[in-house]
Amino acid sequence: MNRPRLFLVTPPVFDPATLADQLKQAFSGGDIACVLIYMPDASTKDIQAAAEALVPVIQGGGAAALVYGDTQAAGRSGADGVHIDTSLEDVKLAVESFQPDRVVGTGGTKTKHDAMEWAESGVDYLFFGKLDLEEKNTAHAKTMTGASWWAELFETPCVALAGNTIETLEEVAATGADFVALKDAIWTSADITKTVTDANQVLEAHPFPEVE
């Protein structure tokens, strides 16, 4: 698929049964590449329990199920991978433990040098955007500039976090990012299925340039 794909991020707090139903609605709306189970303040036990409920739904929808910040819960739940952003050493340990069979992603780097250094660890993607910031209607300026810079110069795929409305997708897709991440725009939608369908229509209009 030669265009950006959707990368969904769960709310930080949720009821697994309710979110499982929302995910089924989302998958019925079209293509979704990944779903990041994002529970930054939860215990390993709670993350694992939620992942065990959600991973089969995510994988059944044809997407990769990723767990934020907890390699143990990711491994035990059968998730497809993990997102680690605590330190470069932690990222390297995850790469060593999970690859090549599972995905390791990272993000949250503060400088261009850090972004390049963390990517050199062999991660599968670099995430631009702060997961813990309150979302606005549009993507944060640093997310846009970071993703544009990265997409133009580097081979490691990147994810760019959009704002909390579908209208933000146009500008984020234009950065050339391989994946566009959505959080509240999905989960607060009155019609999740239609939102995913509409999002994919926007992304279809932003194919990547042909490589000569």
Side-chain angles (χ1 to χ4, degrees):
M1 192 171 291
N2 196 29
R3 49 89 164 176
R5 298 182 68 195
L6 279 179
F7 183 117
L8 303 189
V9 181
T10 72
V13 179
F14 58 83
D15 171 67
T18 300
L19 193 69
D21 182 63
Q22 290 179 308
L23 281 167
K24 291 174 184 175
Q25 295 173 49
F27 283 116
S28 68
D31 178 66
I32 297 168
C34 303
V35 178
L36 177 61
I37 300 170
Y38 177 66
M39 303 171 67
D41 299 320
S43 66
T44 292
K45 180 180 178 182
D46 288 343
I47 296 172
Q48 184 176 328
E52 286 173 350
L54 298 180
V55 166
V57 176
I58 296 167
Q59 293 174 340
L66 309 178
V67 171
Y68 176 84
D70 197 314
T71 55
Q72 185 174 322
R76 290 180 175 176
S77 65
D80 297 286
V82 67
H83 181 106
I84 301 294
D85 60 7
T86 42
S87 72
L88 178 56
E89 287 307 309
D90 288 342
V91 172
K92 288 179 177 178
L93 283 172
V95 168
E96 184 178 331
S97 301
F98 277 71
Q99 289 184 346
D101 297 326
R102 300 191 191 187
V103 174
V104 178
T106 191
T109 51
K110 292 185 172 124
T111 67
K112 289 183 176 180
H113 176 270
D114 285 348
M116 292 186 286
E117 187 175 25
W118 287 41
E120 285 174 359
S121 68
V123 291
D124 295 287
Y125 68 80
L126 193 68
F127 191 103
F128 288 94
K130 297 284 284 181
L131 288 165
D132 57 350
L133 282 183
E134 183 178 351
E135 288 190 277
K136 298 180 180 179
N137 289 342
T138 58
H140 287 273
K142 286 186 178 179
T143 298
M144 298 282 289
T145 56
S148 296
W149 163 71
W150 189 267
E152 183 178 356
L153 297 175
F154 301 98
E155 291 187 7
T156 301
C158 73
V159 185
L161 179 61
N164 61 10
T165 64
I166 287 300
E167 287 71 27
T168 187
L169 283 177
E170 190 80 36
E171 60 177 358
V172 179
T175 66
D178 301 271
F179 303 92
V180 175
L182 289 176
K183 292 197 296 178
D184 287 355
I186 296 293
W187 315 119
T188 62
S189 171
D191 189 336
I192 291 175
T193 300
K194 184 177 185 302
T195 299
V196 170
T197 299
D198 291 347
N200 272 292
Q201 287 178 347
V202 174
L203 298 182
E204 286 280 1
H206 287 274
F208 300 132
E210 293 292 334
V211 179
E212 296 182 359

